[in-house]
Amino acid sequence: GLLNVTDFKSYLECPYRFYLARVLRLKRFTDDAMELDAMAFGELLHRVLDEFGRGPLKDSSDEEEIAEALTQQLKARAQARFGFQPPPALRIQLTQLEQRLRAFAKCQADWRRAGWQIVHSERTVTTTRTPWSAETWAVPLKGRIDRIDRQEGTDRWAVLDYKSSDRGELPRKTHHRRASKGALQPEDWVDLQLPLYRYLARAT
């Protein structure tokens, strides 16, 4: 079957757990709905930003207008999913999400004023050819790119990947085994998301 871009990180971390999850399709279930785990937290943020990237305000350069639209979308999604009285832990997480969205609104307004326009939001790309494909062997690959932008008046493109963690780490720290200063070696990579997204973006 198709391999997701993020599957490579899981495999590099632990081939055994990758086999359990992706081949045997074993899953961990929990009935704890008092707060969002990291995946659900990020997924909610992505859904709100995707709505913005497809909506009527995607070309706005007004920070307050963007922030208001994002927070209203977050509140609507949270109410539909958790009701009017979510548990205290969830309310704290929703406040954290709102703060992140307001920070995003400022960055987005500045980015738009610099001439960048949203072309694709949550773009799913599949390909049967990968950088290491041979004539008789290929790995089907699938990836969902958070955003692809193009700058007006130039031929510059930007591939954006949203992160919802507390701290934004530099790619060299999160995608490589060590923050080496020299040329990267194949064994330095622990997450292939960035180079594979660059490859997939060319197919859009």
Side-chain angles (χ1 to χ4, degrees):
L2 287 172
L3 280 178
N4 293 313
V5 167
T6 51
D7 285 338
F8 292 92
K9 179 182 179 182
S10 300
Y11 178 81
L12 291 170
E13 287 177 344
C14 181
Y16 175 67
R17 286 199 296 269
F18 173 83
Y19 178 80
L20 294 179
R22 292 290 281 117
V23 179
L24 298 183
R25 301 187 182 278
L26 299 182
K27 297 181 180 180
R28 182 178 64 182
F29 292 92
T30 176
D31 59 0
D32 181 9
M34 298 300 292
E35 61 182 326
L36 299 171
D37 61 20
M39 182 176 293
F41 186 90
E43 183 69 14
L44 180 54
L45 182 70
H46 276 70
R47 295 284 70 78
V48 173
L49 293 177
D50 180 37
E51 185 79 15
F52 168 77
R54 299 172 185 270
L57 295 180
K58 68 176 186 177
D59 288 324
S60 174
S61 59
D62 185 320
E63 178 184 342
E64 287 303 317
E65 183 179 53
I66 296 171
E68 180 64 20
L70 290 171
T71 54
Q72 288 303 315
Q73 178 62 219
L74 173 64
K75 290 176 181 177
R77 286 181 174 271
Q79 181 178 315
R81 182 172 177 182
F82 308 116
F84 290 95
Q85 294 293 329
L90 266 174
R91 291 202 296 270
I92 292 173
Q93 287 183 306
L94 293 173
T95 299
Q96 291 174 330
L97 277 171
E98 183 174 340
Q99 291 172 345
R100 284 166 170 76
L101 289 171
R102 289 191 175 278
F104 168 89
K106 182 181 187 311
C107 294
Q108 175 62 30
D110 292 341
W111 184 251
R112 181 67 188 96
R113 284 193 290 269
W116 290 96
Q117 282 187 307
I118 300 173
V119 178
H120 299 295
S121 178
E122 296 293 338
R123 179 76 165 185
T124 298
V125 186
T126 59
T127 178
T128 57
R129 304 294 298 175
T130 58
W132 55 82
S133 293
E135 289 297 326
T136 58
W137 180 81
V139 178
L141 186 64
K142 176 182 178 181
R144 188 175 66 183
I145 302 174
D146 292 343
R147 226 173 84 179
I148 301 177
D149 291 7
R150 186 174 188 272
Q151 191 174 37
E152 295 173 311
T154 74
D155 195 32
R156 298 176 66 193
W157 292 78
V159 177
L160 307 182
D161 184 61
Y162 300 133
K163 298 300 182 186
S164 57
S165 58
D166 291 336
R167 295 187 304 169
E169 300 288 2
L170 293 175
R172 182 174 288 270
K173 184 172 182 179
T174 58
H175 289 73
H176 307 144
R177 192 179 309 278
R178 58 183 181 276
S180 57
K181 295 182 180 180
L184 288 171
Q185 302 300 318
E187 62 270 19
D188 289 338
W189 289 88
V190 295
D191 188 342
L192 304 183
Q193 185 179 20
L194 288 182
L196 289 178
Y197 272 4
R198 183 179 182 181
Y199 179 81
L200 287 174
R202 295 172 180 170
T204 60

